[in-house]
Amino acid sequence: MNDPILRGALDDAGYPAYTMGSAAGMIGVTPAFLRGLGTHGLLSPGRSDGGHRRYSRDELTLASRVRDVTREGMSLAAACRIVELEQLLAAALAELAVLRQQLAAPPGDDDRRLA
């Protein structure tokens, strides 16, 4: 593959490459399930020139997690909220780790503290 634009799109987990039917089949859900994730605000899939939904690998990862939570007995709305909160918690923990690392920097290492 010599096209750098195409290669970049395929490497980008956020690139909306999958049609609704393909996405649903890949993770074992119905198209209605994927539409429901948009209704509940968890996913905002890209759109093709014709207006059809396109899903990224990142979105399919989230959709798979919601699928797993719903199979544990949660409603779709509750599962979407749980996954949203899991994402927020992961981001907060990552930020906390960076801040702790900055605080642990030696006193004369200003570049590391200000990064």
Side-chain angles (χ1 to χ4, degrees):
M1 172 184 343
N2 293 330
D3 184 348
I5 294 173
L6 180 57
R7 187 173 43 243
L10 293 175
D11 290 341
D12 180 1
Y15 181 74
Y18 303 99
T19 64
M20 179 179 285
S22 295
M26 288 171 66
I27 63 170
V29 298
T30 64
F33 179 88
L34 291 176
R35 281 192 297 274
L37 300 182
T39 301
H40 290 289
L42 186 66
L43 298 183
S44 296
R47 298 280 178 160
S48 68
D49 290 340
H52 299 281
R53 291 175 180 86
R54 296 282 190 254
Y55 295 88
S56 69
R57 289 192 319 260
D58 288 341
E59 288 172 323
L60 294 183
T61 299
L62 285 176
S64 294
R65 178 67 184 126
V66 173
R67 178 203 60 211
D68 294 345
V69 174
T70 59
R71 287 181 179 168
E72 293 173 12
M74 296 290 170
S75 69
L76 184 59
C80 286
R81 185 65 178 145
I82 288 168
V83 171
E84 179 183 7
L85 291 172
E86 287 174 344
Q87 286 185 291
L88 289 171
L89 177 59
L93 290 173
E95 185 175 346
L96 180 59
V98 169
L99 293 172
R100 284 183 173 154
Q101 185 178 23
Q102 289 173 349
L103 286 174
D109 196 356
D110 291 338
D111 290 340
R112 215 168 144 201
R113 286 182 181 263
L114 299 175

